[in-house]
């Protein structure tokens, strides 16, 4: 009898603009293959909520640097989700999805100081996932396949028609200016939103969530030796 090779640990990058369905599809992939879900947008949101709480403006770099120095980041596992703690506290969902954070997050996320502060933290979550017995990690964001894990096993880039994305957000009852955030996130100098060369581009505008997940699950299942 030949021993089966141990299943590999995989890193999956899902990048794309606001409202493309990154989190919904990542959640389903994580359930199916027992992977850790890392929503890096929630990290930029939590940091933004903290800056706003402290009264720090994105235009005041000295104040931003000071606030970053005091962030004290940690990680809490909630089911299959990695939640970022700031000073031992997970910023509540209602706060990170608030209109104030929706309006301010792209301004803070454009600052190289903020991105640098979260870079090693995000990379470290692969080790966090491994240590807790996950078969891999799925990170959703803007620069995962281009900057954080350019050598990820799978890199997907989701696109959606912005009008459709705004409808999806409105149906979730959220006030969010998708177009403006995408414009800021795509035009910033540091780690802009781009489909990196070699990533699999998926236009989700006319696809159901199940169809999007199916496209990503097939190659992952092949790698893990599992049913898609
Ligand atoms: O995924 P989201 O819409 O919740 O992300 C909120 C903001 O965070 C987004 O407008 C830009 C920023 N972001 C980023 O700059 N880089 C990432 N990897 C993830 C999010």
């Amino acid at each position: 009898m030949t021993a089966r090779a141990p299943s590999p640990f995989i890193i999956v990058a899902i990048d794309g603009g606001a409202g493309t369905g990154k989190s919904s599809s990542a959640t389903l992939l994580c359930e199916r293959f027992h992977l850790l879900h890392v929503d890096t947008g929630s990290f930029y949101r939590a940091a933004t909520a903290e800056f706003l709480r402290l009264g720090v403006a994105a235009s005041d770099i000295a104040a931003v640097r000071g606030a970053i120095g005091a962030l004290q980041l940690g990680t809490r596992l909630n089911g299959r989700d990695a939640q970022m703690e700031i000073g031992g506290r997970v910023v509540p969902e209602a706060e990170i999805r608030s209109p104030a954070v929706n309006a301010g997050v792209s301004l803070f996320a454009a600052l190289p100081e903020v991105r640098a502060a979260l870079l090693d933290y995000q990379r470290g979550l692969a080790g966090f996932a491994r240590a807790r017995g996950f078969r891999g990690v799925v990170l959703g964001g803007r620069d995962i396949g281009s900057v954080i894990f350019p050598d990820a096993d799978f890199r997907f880039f989701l696109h959606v028609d912005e009008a459709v994305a705004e409808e999806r957000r409105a149906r979730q009852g959220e006030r969010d200016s998708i177009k403006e955030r995408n414009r800021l996130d795509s035009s910033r100098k540091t780690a802009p939103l781009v489909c990196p060369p070699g990533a699999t581009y998926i236009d989700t505008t006319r696809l159901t969530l199940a169809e999007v997940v199916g496209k990503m699950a097939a190659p992952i299942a092949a790698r893990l030796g599992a049913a898609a």
Side-chain angles (χ1 to χ4, degrees), residues 8 35 53 71 82 90 114 157 160 168:
L35 309 169
R53 192 180 69 80
L71 275 182
V90 172
V114 173
F157 187 90
V160 69
R168 286 181 189 168

Side-chain angles (χ1 to χ4, degrees), residues 41-113:
S42 73
F43 302 165
Y44 286 92
R45 288 171 174 279
T48 298
E50 179 69 1
F51 297 141
L52 296 178
R53 192 180 69 80
L54 296 171
V56 170
S59 55
D60 186 348
I61 293 300
V64 171
R65 283 202 188 109
I68 285 172
L71 275 182
Q72 288 187 317
L73 302 181
T75 309
R76 191 176 304 172
L77 187 61
N78 179 22
R80 288 189 186 83
D81 279 323
Q83 296 181 316
M84 189 174 83
E85 295 173 334
I86 298 181
R89 167 180 180 258
V90 172
V91 182
E93 202 50 23
E95 220 176 298
I96 69 170
R97 310 272 158 208
S98 70
V101 169
N102 280 344
V105 63
S106 289
L107 300 177
F108 287 103
L111 302 175
E113 290 82 355

Side-chain angles (χ1 to χ4, degrees), residues 13-183:
I14 307 180
D15 289 305
T20 46
K22 298 182 298 291
S23 275
S24 311
S25 48
T27 299
L28 292 175
L29 285 177
C30 289
E31 264 173 29
R32 195 173 303 181
F33 298 114
H34 191 49
L35 309 169
L36 177 72
H37 179 208
V38 176
D39 171 10
T40 64
S42 73
F43 302 165
Y44 286 92
R45 288 171 174 279
T48 298
E50 179 69 1
F51 297 141
L52 296 178
R53 192 180 69 80
L54 296 171
V56 170
S59 55
D60 186 348
I61 293 300
V64 171
R65 283 202 188 109
I68 285 172
L71 275 182
Q72 288 187 317
L73 302 181
T75 309
R76 191 176 304 172
L77 187 61
N78 179 22
R80 288 189 186 83
D81 279 323
Q83 296 181 316
M84 189 174 83
E85 295 173 334
I86 298 181
R89 167 180 180 258
V90 172
V91 182
E93 202 50 23
E95 220 176 298
I96 69 170
R97 310 272 158 208
S98 70
V101 169
N102 280 344
V105 63
S106 289
L107 300 177
F108 287 103
L111 302 175
E113 290 82 355
V114 173
R115 307 203 71 80
L118 292 179
L119 189 119
D120 286 342
Y121 175 76
Q122 292 171 84
R123 289 188 178 149
L125 290 171
F128 179 93
R130 224 186 259 272
R132 282 158 186 79
F134 288 95
R135 300 172 81 189
V137 59
V138 181
L139 298 103
R142 303 294 187 288
D143 63 341
I144 308 302
S146 57
V147 175
I148 307 297
F149 284 113
D151 297 328
D153 299 274
F154 301 94
R155 293 182 304 155
F156 299 104
F157 187 90
L158 304 188
H159 169 83
V160 69
D161 199 278
E162 284 175 340
V164 173
E166 296 211 329
E167 264 169 44
R168 286 181 189 168
R169 271 292 196 279
R171 257 185 273 132
Q172 290 164 348
E174 239 189 82
R175 192 147 44 85
D176 192 1
S177 56
I178 301 258
K179 279 192 192 134
E180 179 58 7
R181 278 206 292 131
N182 283 345
R183 191 186 65 72

